[in-house]
């Protein structure tokens, strides 16, 4: 009997989503008789039964394409069971629509929020397989997520380009990078781009230490400096606050983001001219790198093998360079943050980068 496979992409997009969709589809078509149902715009599509029956042709030419052919949206996990003004019981609608679409299983491609939603649907009895995508690389249980390496390439190129202009103008340039609460992207791009100071959320920074390291560098004759700063960076003082207190403090902050505050403090202390660059969503845009195309294809094809074996309730992971299926209940709700003893931190320090601590 024809198997009906639903595919959904949810949360922030990233390069490699289409490559993974193609991986699932092509490997499934090759292994068993199936029909693929593309659910539109994330969980919103499952809630509102917005879908499209796909054909093999829909998966042609998408390997190199950025974004997601299915569209995406954010449906926060904490709101899933909440009945809002529209009076819709989202969880019930998703279960009903899964039945209505006659799905045998649902493949969810997403980050942390998506994994929580996928686990919720698993708990409700649906057959779910998740794939780990995010430029943040912060999904627990997998060494790497697809989208991450493409973002590292983009962020590194930004730092490279900033180098020449920083040098020409004798400036201190701060490059603020995405990553939410995790510093993976900043750490990798910072080391790859030779940033002089790398500030990540996992290592709260001391402004005095940042200033000290810049002062040392400029006193030794260097005419410019580059700081790679995570959007989620926090100071030592802020790290002592409770989540709610920090939110309040940040609301009071007069600067658009943490890099602007740092830039002002550096300028005030050292008199050096500072500038901030925020590449923002460019880090999620464009074609996936060859690394991500390969990774996403491997993960997608592995998911198809799991469908063939009816091995549900799991997320496809990379562990020590091998593909693995980790139970969704273990992954959902946990963040993979940069460990204090990460080799790239010690390597960065050995080659002269300051981590502001
Ligand atoms: O999770 C990916 C990510 O790009 C984070 O790095 C960033 O904090 C967030 O999404 C931005 O979200 P949005 O696209 O909704 O502004």
């Amino acid at each position: 009997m024809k198997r009906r496979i639903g595919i959904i992409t949810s949360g922030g997009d990233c390069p490699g989503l289409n490559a993974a969709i193609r991986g699932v589809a092509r490997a499934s078509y090759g292994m068993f008789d199936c029909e693929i149902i593309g659910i539109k715009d994330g969980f919103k599509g499952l809630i509102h039964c917005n879908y499209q029956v796909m054909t093999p042709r829909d998966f042609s030419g998408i390997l190199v394409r950025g974004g997601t052919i299915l569209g995406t949206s954010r449906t926060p996990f904490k709101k899933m069971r909440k009945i809002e003004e529209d009076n819709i019981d989202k969880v019930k609608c998703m279960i009903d629509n899964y039945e209505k679409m006659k799905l045998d299983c649902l493949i969810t491609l997403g980050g942390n929020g998506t994994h929580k939603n996928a686990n919720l649907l698993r708990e409700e009895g649906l057959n779910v397989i998740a794939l780990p995508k995010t430029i943040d690389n912060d999904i627990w249980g997998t060494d790497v997520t697809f989208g991450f390496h493409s973002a590292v390439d983009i962020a590194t190129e930004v730092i490279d380009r900033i180098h020449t202009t920083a040098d020409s103008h004798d400036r201190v340039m701060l490059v603020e990078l995405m990553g939410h609460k995790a510093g993976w992207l900043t750490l990798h791009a910072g080391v790859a781009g030779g940033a002089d100071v790398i500030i990540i959320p996992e290592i709260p920074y001391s402004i005095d230490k940042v200033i000290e390291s810049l002062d040392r560098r400029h006193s030794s004759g260097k005419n410019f400096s580059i700081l790679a700063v995570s959007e989620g960076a926090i100071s030592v003082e802020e790290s002592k606050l409770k989540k709610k207190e920090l939110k309040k403090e940040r609301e009071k902050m007069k600067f658009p983001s943490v890099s602007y505050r740092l830039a002002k403090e550096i300028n005030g202390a050292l008199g050096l001219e500072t500038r901030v660059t925020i590449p923002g969503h460019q880090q999620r845009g464009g074609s996936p790198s060859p690394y991500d195309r390969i990774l996403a294809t491997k993960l997608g094809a592995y998911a198809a093998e799991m469908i063939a074996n009816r091995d549900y309730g799991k997320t496809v992971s990379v562990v020590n360079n091998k593909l693995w299926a980790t139970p969704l209940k273990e992954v959902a709700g946990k963040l993979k943050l940069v460990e204090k003893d990460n080799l790239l931190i010690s390597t960065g320090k050995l080659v002269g980068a300051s981590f502001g601590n």
Side-chain angles (χ1 to χ4, degrees):
M1 216 176 66
K2 237 186 186 80
R3 314 262 299 271
R4 284 175 67 86
I5 305 164
I7 305 190
I8 211 166
T9 54
S10 171
D13 70 345
C14 74
L17 276 167
N18 290 324
I21 293 171
R22 173 182 173 273
V24 176
R26 289 211 169 177
S28 297
Y29 286 136
M31 271 189 280
F32 44 85
D33 191 17
C34 64
E35 188 148 64
I36 297 185
I37 317 298
I39 296 161
K40 306 289 286 176
D41 301 333
F43 287 100
K44 216 162 71 181
L46 189 58
I47 295 166
H48 297 284
C49 207
N50 184 9
Y51 68 93
Q52 177 192 340
V53 177
M54 315 286 282
T55 67
R57 286 190 65 164
D58 292 319
F59 303 103
S60 283
I62 64 168
L63 175 64
V64 304
R65 201 163 134 187
T68 159
I69 56 164
L70 299 175
T72 187
S73 61
R74 292 192 188 277
T75 316
F77 172 71
K78 59 178 181 223
K79 289 200 176 158
M80 271 298 187
R81 294 202 185 269
K82 216 169 168 184
I83 311 284
E84 298 178 85
E85 300 92 68
D86 56 11
N87 229 7
I88 290 175
D89 183 337
K90 298 186 252 321
V91 176
K92 184 175 180 315
C93 284
M94 287 194 286
I95 298 167
D96 290 350
N97 290 332
Y98 179 94
E99 299 297 335
K100 214 184 278 173
M101 291 181 225
K102 295 189 171 45
L103 296 182
D104 290 291
C105 65
L106 182 67
I107 313 300
T108 62
L109 286 70
N112 278 299
T114 304
H115 277 72
K116 286 195 262 184
N117 289 339
N119 189 48
L120 178 155
L121 293 177
R122 178 197 67 81
E123 284 170 350
E124 292 292 335
L126 307 194
N127 296 327
V128 185
I129 296 173
L131 286 168
K133 74 87 226 204
T134 166
I135 65 161
D136 303 343
N137 194 34
D138 60 352
I139 297 180
W140 190 89
T142 186
D143 296 344
V144 67
T145 59
F146 60 88
F148 172 63
H149 276 277
S150 303
V152 171
D153 289 354
I154 298 163
T156 304
E157 184 174 352
V158 173
I159 297 175
D160 289 349
R161 287 177 184 272
I162 287 297
H163 252 105
T164 55
T165 172
D167 189 7
S168 308
H169 286 269
D170 298 348
R171 281 174 173 160
V172 173
M173 305 285 278
L174 296 91
V175 182
E176 184 175 301
L177 300 172
M178 278 188 170
H180 197 44
K181 290 180 186 158
W184 296 105
L185 180 52
T186 306
L187 175 62
H188 281 248
V191 172
D196 308 299
V197 180
I198 300 172
I199 300 186
I200 60 174
E202 293 86 344
I203 306 179
Y205 70 88
S206 143
I207 187 63
D208 294 339
K209 296 277 181 206
V210 172
I211 289 166
E212 215 177 279
S213 72
L214 291 173
D215 194 26
R216 213 177 311 122
R217 184 177 148 82
H218 286 252
S219 305
S220 76
K222 295 278 168 39
N223 62 322
F224 73 92
S225 290
I226 311 273
L227 286 84
V229 182
S230 285
E231 61 178 358
I234 51 168
S235 67
V236 172
E237 295 74 29
E238 286 174 322
S239 72
K240 292 180 187 142
L241 301 176
K242 295 208 174 77
K243 208 172 149 188
K244 273 194 183 150
E245 293 171 337
L246 175 62
K247 202 170 163 223
K248 248 192 194 162
E249 280 305 304
R250 280 293 169 98
E251 274 161 13
K252 281 194 255 162
M253 186 168 86
K254 296 183 294 293
F255 304 99
S257 73
V258 64
S259 299
Y260 284 92
R261 183 176 75 191
L262 267 163
K264 182 94 198 298
E265 287 169 326
I266 293 165
N267 174 262
L270 300 174
L272 297 166
E273 202 177 356
T274 56
R275 290 287 187 277
V276 175
T277 295
I278 304 184
H281 290 81
Q282 288 183 70
Q283 293 160 97
R284 296 216 313 246
S287 184
S289 65
Y291 179 97
D292 271 333
R293 292 179 203 180
I294 293 167
L295 176 64
T297 302
K298 284 203 288 195
L299 295 176
Y302 193 83
E305 287 182 350
M306 288 167 66
I307 302 169
N309 298 327
R310 294 183 165 76
D311 186 8
Y312 302 129
K314 294 176 182 168
T315 186
V316 188
S317 319
V318 182
V319 180
N320 294 333
N321 230 4
K322 291 211 167 60
L323 296 189
W324 197 257
T326 314
L328 258 174
K329 62 169 183 280
E330 285 177 23
V331 176
K334 280 189 227 157
L335 273 186
K336 183 189 72 179
L337 298 175
V338 178
E339 320 82 10
K340 296 269 179 318
D341 61 349
N342 188 287
L343 180 64
L344 206 46
I345 297 177
S346 44
T347 305
K349 284 185 180 165
L350 283 173
V351 296
S354 159
F355 283 79
N357 64 338

